[in-house]
Amino acid sequence: MAQKATIYKVELSVADMDRHYYETHNLTVAKHPSETDERLMVRILAFALNAHEKLEFTRGISTDDEPDIWQKSLSGELELCVALGLPSEKIVRQSCGKANEVIVYCYGGSTAELWWEKMKNSTTRFDNLQVTNFSKKDSSELGKMASRLMKLQVNIQDSDVMVSVDDSIVYVTPVKWKKADH
């Protein structure tokens, strides 16, 4: 019998001084049985870093043809496509062809670094692609914060990120491996 997704209720308050975005999102996040707490929290952080009223989680891991997060225009065009982990060159290429902007958030330490070494030369032609890495330490610390009912506060200033849940605070320093050129 197939395992069902675990539902997480998240009250996500975002204070993004870099983009002047201040909003609280009440999210219902489905955690796929194969998804780790670390990946779940990286997914929620990726949402916070790109927070917008039209941003939404997709079916994610359970579908190959959708990114983890996307933002569509009112007419249905794909404005932003957010992928987590280490997507294949084919997925990156297809995403860059479909969306105005594509962001890949990597994590996993040396595995992510090896992936980037292999991928970076083939991604230079994509002006709409940004690749950002979270250190192994940052993503594991985030994973420890996961709980089924969370009040998460994310503060962003000068590209530095502070994530807090209750009395726990994690400082995350996203490292941009590739900036979008548009």
Side-chain angles (χ1 to χ4, degrees):
M1 193 164 121
Q3 287 183 299
K4 289 186 164 50
T6 306
I7 302 303
Y8 285 68
K9 294 285 188 181
V10 182
E11 182 182 296
L12 175 64
S13 297
V14 178
D16 188 337
M17 279 64 91
D18 297 350
R19 294 189 305 139
H20 305 291
Y21 182 90
Y22 309 93
E23 200 62 56
T24 297
H25 298 264
N26 289 305
L27 306 171
T28 300
V29 185
K31 179 183 169 200
H32 191 273
S34 69
E35 188 172 29
T36 62
D37 285 348
E38 180 179 17
R39 187 180 192 285
L40 173 79
M41 294 302 288
V42 167
R43 192 157 51 107
I44 293 169
L45 178 57
F47 186 98
L49 292 171
N50 298 283
H52 185 278
E53 64 185 20
K54 293 184 290 189
L55 193 67
E56 57 188 29
F57 289 111
T58 63
R59 290 176 290 174
I61 287 181
S62 59
T63 54
D64 291 336
D65 60 339
E66 289 181 2
D68 293 283
I69 301 169
W70 64 22
Q71 180 178 314
K72 290 185 171 183
S73 68
L74 294 174
S75 58
E77 286 136 3
L78 199 49
E79 295 176 329
L80 174 64
C81 176
V82 177
L84 301 181
L86 314 172
S88 69
E89 185 180 339
K90 178 183 175 194
I91 288 176
V92 170
R93 185 178 62 247
Q94 289 174 340
S95 299
C96 287
K98 291 179 194 170
N100 297 344
E101 184 180 1
V102 177
I103 303 174
V104 175
Y105 289 104
C106 306
Y107 62 98
S110 59
T111 313
E113 291 163 15
L114 288 169
W115 172 85
W116 181 236
E117 277 304 310
K118 216 169 70 177
M119 290 287 287
K120 68 180 170 189
N121 292 333
S122 63
T123 63
T124 54
R125 68 183 188 269
F126 303 121
D127 292 342
N128 60 337
L129 174 66
Q130 173 185 310
V131 179
T132 299
N133 183 56
F134 298 122
S135 74
K136 180 69 182 148
K137 178 185 171 291
D138 289 352
S139 61
S140 348
E141 289 298 313
L142 282 174
K144 293 175 189 168
M145 296 176 119
S147 68
R148 302 262 317 259
L149 196 59
M150 285 185 279
K151 279 191 175 191
L152 217 68
Q153 173 70 44
V154 177
N155 296 337
I156 304 160
Q157 185 171 11
D158 300 329
S159 299
D160 285 325
V161 182
M162 183 188 85
V163 181
S164 59
V165 178
D166 303 323
D167 295 336
S168 303
I169 295 176
V170 173
Y171 293 94
V172 179
T173 305
V175 175
K176 281 199 173 91
W177 281 345
K178 181 185 185 315
K179 291 180 169 79
D181 299 327
H182 59 279

